[in-house]
Amino acid sequence: MRANVLRMTPYTPGKPIDEVKRELGLTSVVKLASNENPLGPGAKALAAVQEAALSMHLYPDASGYELRQAISAKFGVSDAMVMLGNGSDELIHMLGLVFLEAGDNVVIGAPSFVRYDAAADLSDVELRRVPLDSTWRHDLEAMAAVCDARTKLVFVANPHNPTGTVLTHTEVVAFLDALPSGCVAVLDEAYYEYSADVEDRLDAVTLLKAGRNVVILRTFSKAFGLAGIRVGFGLASAEVVDAVNRAREPFNVNSLAQAGAIAALSDSDHLAESVRVNLDGLSRIENAMRGWGFETVSSRANFICVNVRRDGNEVFQALLREGIIVRSGVPLGMPEYIRVSIGNSDEMSAFLSAFERVVVGVGV
Ligand SMILES: Cc1ncc(COP(=O)(O)O)c(C=O)c1O
């Protein structure tokens, strides 16, 4: 077997609710670990998926024609610039396969979303990790400085995962100006919809339309509430989309996912409510933590990192015993933090009272 594959670490998903119930004998468990939408899918998407289920004996449309049309109309780009993936995870994977050859390198922030590492490792190329700055934002100058003629991909998530931090449009433009010409900037906007109120917000679509060397990734897993049926999309030059289409599996996005995504795209009420509930939850956690004297990382995503000033694993375990699943910052590269996904109002109350009992109550 290839040594680079054996060096890869399998992805660790958030702990499943049923497993925690079984292991700890709990009846009620709240999962705030995978940045899912606490409202669930919208009614329109649900109805479309139910309808599509009647045809599940047929192969899906391999080109995803209708969904690509809907996306191309929404963003004002040609459908030749739209690619679909089995989640945006698959598109990250495909970009690695399509771009990377022996001797190339990939540049990412540290910490960063773990699937970027996998894209580089699978192609056995060098991964250059550039530490985030002291406020947990990408250090774009340092990232540009380590790019060279063999840097094929640089991944920038905005809002970033695991931190939730954002960059401005001006900062990203300066970064793109500083990149070597052969380097593609992958602007991963999985959490885009939650960041509406950011000043000088990154407008990646305009950059793509202006011919910048960028690939934009978006997903239906977060604000659109469809993580379980796996569908994401990318906007890129027609050449990049063509290359990914040649290399991908023909039926990578299933028919239920295609139908659900088309419906979700037109459900502005569900989207607006998802964003509103998220902002509520974010500010509740920020306020409570401020009141207790714990710092949070400024987030425009559907999760927030809390500096717990002790080993993140300990706090993760203590909350788990209370029936609350969060992410320890230890495997995420933020050892004294926990990352908490934003839930609905009841879930936020459950998290905050558990945190008060097992963290605030025991002192530092
Ligand atoms: C930054 C980032 N990109 C991409 C993804 C992948 O999302 P999906 O494959 O569900 O579209 C995630 C998921 O958590 C993420 O945090």
Side-chain angles (χ1 to χ4, degrees):
M1 256 176 290
R2 292 165 62 204
N4 58 306
V5 172
L6 298 179
R7 275 198 306 272
M8 292 172 72
T9 325
Y11 181 73
T12 320
K15 233 173 149 42
I17 291 180
D18 287 341
E19 189 179 307
V20 176
K21 282 186 179 167
R22 240 186 354 259
E23 285 176 0
L24 297 175
L26 297 168
T27 47
S28 146
V29 169
V30 171
K31 184 177 172 206
L32 302 172
S34 299
N35 307 337
E36 293 149 339
N37 189 328
L39 299 184
K44 286 188 180 175
L46 196 55
V49 168
Q50 281 165 342
E51 168 80 27
L54 298 173
S55 305
M56 69 164 84
H57 58 298
L58 302 176
Y59 281 99
D61 174 0
S63 76
Y65 177 79
E66 277 187 45
L67 176 54
R68 283 191 308 108
Q69 290 301 309
I71 293 168
S72 108
K74 182 173 171 64
F75 292 94
V77 298
S78 137
D79 62 350
M81 296 170 76
V82 180
M83 56 189 171
L84 304 179
N86 185 31
S88 50
D89 272 345
E90 190 197 14
L91 294 173
I92 295 167
H93 171 80
M94 291 311 306
L95 290 171
L97 292 183
V98 161
F99 277 98
L100 302 173
E101 292 176 288
D104 289 341
N105 66 74
V106 172
V107 172
I108 62 172
S112 196
F113 183 49
V114 287
R115 299 310 298 162
Y116 308 151
D117 300 47
D121 291 344
L122 195 54
S123 294
D124 204 7
V125 303
E126 184 195 351
L127 187 60
R128 299 182 178 172
R129 292 189 174 85
V130 179
L132 303 184
D133 71 12
S134 61
T135 60
W136 298 105
R137 296 168 80 244
H138 284 94
D139 185 343
L140 292 179
E141 270 181 36
M143 288 177 84
V146 303
C147 290
D148 59 24
R150 296 306 302 268
T151 307
K152 293 292 167 62
L153 298 171
V154 49
F155 285 94
V156 176
N158 189 65
H160 191 42
N161 184 8
T163 60
T165 46
V166 285
L167 302 161
T168 63
H169 188 80
T170 311
E171 288 170 325
V172 173
V173 169
F175 173 63
L176 297 177
D177 287 343
L179 290 180
S181 60
C183 172
V184 175
V186 182
L187 303 175
D188 181 346
E189 301 193 308
Y191 303 97
Y192 174 82
E193 295 78 11
Y194 297 113
S195 64
D197 65 339
V198 170
E199 213 177 300
D200 192 21
R201 187 191 200 190
L202 173 60
D203 182 355
V205 178
T206 296
L207 296 176
L208 175 69
K209 286 179 185 167
R212 294 292 193 141
N213 203 3
V214 297
V215 171
I216 303 167
L217 299 181
R218 297 276 185 99
T219 182
F220 287 95
S221 297
K222 309 296 174 185
F224 293 101
L226 300 180
I229 53 174
R230 314 299 301 128
V231 50
F233 62 98
L235 307 175
S237 69
E239 292 73 27
V240 169
V241 170
D242 175 60
V244 169
N245 280 335
R246 286 167 195 263
R248 70 172 167 87
E249 287 181 24
F251 303 110
N252 62 335
V253 181
N254 72 70
S255 49
L256 307 191
Q258 291 187 31
I262 292 167
L265 213 49
S266 70
D267 193 346
S268 47
D269 291 344
H270 178 261
L271 182 61
E273 183 62 0
S274 302
V275 172
R276 190 193 65 72
V277 166
N278 188 63
L279 282 177
D280 268 12
L282 266 181
S283 53
R284 267 186 78 187
I285 297 195
E286 278 169 350
N287 290 336
M289 293 299 163
R290 195 176 308 120
W292 289 322
F294 286 92
E295 277 176 22
T296 51
V297 178
S298 173
S299 171
R300 289 293 184 283
N302 66 344
F303 55 85
I304 187 163
C305 292
V306 181
N307 183 347
V308 287
R309 302 197 297 267
R310 71 200 81 178
D311 185 82
N313 283 340
E314 267 174 44
V315 175
F316 164 77
Q317 290 296 344
L319 289 168
L320 202 60
R321 288 190 290 274
E322 299 286 310
I324 309 287
I325 313 173
V326 298
R327 280 290 179 121
S328 162
V330 173
L332 299 177
M334 305 173 78
E336 299 217 319
Y337 286 76
I338 55 167
R339 194 194 69 187
V340 187
S341 302
I342 304 302
N344 63 29
S345 175
D346 290 347
E347 291 168 334
M348 292 293 84
S349 301
F351 163 71
L352 289 172
S353 54
F355 189 91
E356 189 171 21
R357 276 194 303 278
V358 300
V359 183
V360 183
V362 300
V364 182

